[in-house]
Amino acid sequence: MMSPLSIAQYLDPTNPKLQFDVVIFDEASQVKPEDALGAFMRAKTAVVMGDTQQLPPTSFF
């Protein structure tokens, strides 16, 4: 498991050996699209889950 920020910091996007089979975003409304892009680019398949009752992303924590 890695956060989108950790993926961007630690995984070289040009290395084909550092690819995910599946990337799963649960509570997807908590992740900004620009933060998730790096994970999507390193994945063969993506699963995005969320609902309309979730709060938008915050910087509270």
Side-chain angles (χ1 to χ4, degrees), residues 2-3 17-18 32 35 37 42 53 58:
M2 296 181 80
S3 70
K17 293 183 179 183
L18 296 177
K32 294 179 183 175
D35 293 339
L37 187 61
R42 291 171 175 87
Q53 301 301 313
T58 64

Side-chain angles (χ1 to χ4, degrees), residues 3 5 7 11-12 14-16 18 20-22 29-31 34 39 42 47 49 56 60:
S3 70
L5 181 59
I7 291 170
L11 298 183
D12 180 7
T14 61
N15 187 343
L18 296 177
F20 296 109
D21 291 326
V22 178
S29 66
Q30 295 295 312
V31 180
E34 58 269 21
R42 291 171 175 87
V47 178
M49 296 173 277
F60 181 73

